[in-house]
Amino acid sequence: MASARLTRLHGLFAAYKPPGLKWKHLRDTMELQLLKGLNAGKPPAPEQRVRFLLGPMEGSEKKELTLTATSVPTLTSHPLVRGPVFTSLKVGVGHRLDAQASGVLVFGVGQGCRLLTDMYNAHLTKDYTVRGLLGKATDDFCEDGRLVEKTTYGHVTREKLDRILAVMQGSHQKALVMYSNLDLKTQEAYEMAVRGLIRPTNKSPMLIIGIRCLHFAPPEFLLEVQCMHETQKQLRKLVHEIGLELKTTAVCTQVRRTRDGIFTLDDALLRTQWDLHSILDAIQAAAPRVAAELEKSLRPGLDTQQVPSPRWPWDSEGPSSALGLESDVGH
């Protein structure tokens, strides 16, 4: 039974990483839970071997001893002698989350670790919700960092914030085209843009595909960010830069990943589901979607029929500010 489960234990699944937990500790926990599940099955019946045991002779009044052929179990295969059958398992982690961040964290098991490399090469986008707090600045852009400045924020409005976010999104869209090395005058480039398949050819700075404000109640605000090649530190610094553009200061109070490629919060296993049975079900459910997404992203078969004429959103002469574009690269 354990061997049958092991043959199915190849693929990708997602788990929800709580804040305050390091990704490596979560990976080790997943491996431990999988090994525990594989070794928890009922062990097979021990093999029997024939041994000649010394015993009393039947019908003998003088209690004479004789050797009798007896079938006894072989203890060399007993779990208490041999130990657990499975002692290690290959478990890989996709786009990592730092200790302070939370949300969707993708794992690969067995041959599924190769798919993690394919996901990395596909440059899939990720979604985050980022919570900010106006009026403070710290040395590490986090709320619990060392306070370096306090400012007023009464002049900040939702309209001003939305305007800053629109400028930022426009500058990053132009940067995305630049890093994709596409000729905007070609039909192929337009078809890829229509299908959302424009990707950088190599590693690039953090690129924001979309950003909007979900909630604004000063001093707090909540952003939804769709991006690629980011680190959680860069997202926290993004909140700091938004505060500066609003002529105030801001710190980040929460970074939560809500989607990584095809995996969303609905796919992420909670702590109570970190067991072999739930992980097997998650791998089987995600397998067809993973294959379809990688096929589309790594080998996009573009249908050139019934595509309208190009109207590029970045053709207009808008602000060219490079807000948030960093020279450091991170996944």
Side-chain angles (χ1 to χ4, degrees):
M1 181 64 71
S3 299
R5 289 180 175 180
L6 185 61
T7 58
R8 296 167 49 205
L9 201 56
H10 296 282
L12 301 181
F13 71 97
Y16 186 86
K17 189 192 89 65
L21 184 67
K22 295 183 178 180
W23 66 265
K24 189 177 186 305
H25 183 266
L26 182 53
R27 191 213 72 85
D28 293 342
T29 301
M30 288 298 176
E31 182 182 6
L32 180 63
Q33 291 298 106
L34 289 173
L35 291 174
K36 185 185 296 184
L38 289 173
N39 291 316
K42 184 178 180 181
E47 297 180 358
Q48 300 290 320
R49 59 179 298 183
V50 176
R51 294 191 62 183
F52 291 92
L53 302 179
L54 190 63
M57 181 181 300
E58 294 182 5
S60 175
E61 297 179 356
K62 298 182 180 180
K63 298 183 179 180
E64 296 181 359
L65 300 179
T66 184
L67 293 176
T68 305
T70 308
S71 178
V72 296
T74 302
L75 298 181
T76 55
S77 60
H78 195 281
L80 295 179
V81 176
R82 185 186 56 189
V85 178
F86 303 97
T87 57
S88 63
L89 195 63
K90 188 175 182 181
V91 180
V93 179
H95 301 118
R96 300 172 183 174
L97 288 171
D98 61 27
Q100 295 172 305
S102 62
V104 179
L105 186 62
V106 179
F107 293 89
V109 184
Q111 297 176 3
C113 293
R114 300 178 182 177
L115 298 177
L116 292 175
T117 303
D118 293 336
M119 286 188 63
Y120 181 89
N121 294 331
H123 303 286
L124 301 178
T125 59
K126 297 174 282 295
D127 290 354
Y128 290 85
T129 54
V130 181
R131 194 176 299 274
L133 183 69
L134 297 169
K136 295 172 58 178
T138 60
D139 59 344
D140 60 356
F141 315 122
C142 296
E143 184 182 19
D144 56 355
R146 183 174 61 86
L147 183 66
V148 296
E149 186 179 4
K150 295 186 72 174
T151 56
T152 59
Y153 53 85
H155 61 282
V156 178
T157 63
R158 175 70 179 263
E159 291 73 20
K160 291 181 180 179
L161 176 60
D162 289 340
R163 187 160 55 247
I164 293 297
L165 299 182
V167 171
M168 187 176 299
Q169 180 171 320
S171 64
H172 278 257
Q173 285 180 338
K174 293 180 181 180
L176 173 61
V177 177
M178 179 184 69
Y179 283 105
S180 65
N181 293 329
L182 289 176
D183 184 1
L184 300 186
K185 298 180 181 179
T186 62
Q187 182 71 10
E188 178 186 5
Y190 172 66
E191 292 164 359
M192 293 182 67
V194 168
R195 298 178 179 235
L197 296 177
I198 291 185
R199 301 283 190 271
T201 55
N202 294 298
K203 295 186 69 174
S204 69
M206 179 179 71
L207 296 173
I208 297 175
I209 311 303
I211 182 170
R212 65 189 180 108
C213 179
L214 297 178
H215 179 68
F216 183 76
E220 296 183 351
F221 61 93
L222 180 65
L223 304 178
E224 181 183 59
V225 184
Q226 183 182 10
C227 54
M228 61 177 65
H229 297 181
E230 81 294 337
T231 64
Q232 289 76 59
K233 183 176 180 179
Q234 288 175 321
L235 292 173
R236 297 185 185 100
K237 186 177 181 181
L238 184 67
V239 173
H240 170 75
E241 293 174 346
I242 290 174
L244 296 180
E245 290 295 324
L246 292 170
K247 303 297 187 284
T248 182
T249 54
V251 294
C252 181
T253 60
Q254 182 190 56
V255 175
R256 183 173 182 241
R257 183 190 288 163
T258 59
R259 182 181 64 84
D260 186 351
I262 67 164
F263 294 96
T264 66
L265 289 174
D266 293 335
D267 304 310
L269 300 178
L270 302 178
R271 188 185 294 270
T272 56
Q273 299 171 303
W274 295 351
D275 56 76
L276 177 61
H277 179 73
S278 298
I279 292 175
L280 281 173
D281 290 344
I283 289 176
Q284 297 301 316
R289 293 188 295 140
V290 170
E293 180 64 30
L294 293 179
E295 179 71 21
K296 181 183 73 171
S297 300
L298 296 178
R299 290 174 293 276
L302 297 176
D303 183 6
T304 57
Q305 298 179 355
Q306 298 180 350
V307 177
S309 58
R311 289 190 61 185
W312 297 92
W314 45 76
D315 280 344
S316 59
E317 294 296 331
S320 58
S321 170
L323 288 172
L325 288 176
E326 302 293 336
S327 59
D328 48 329
V329 180
H331 260 246

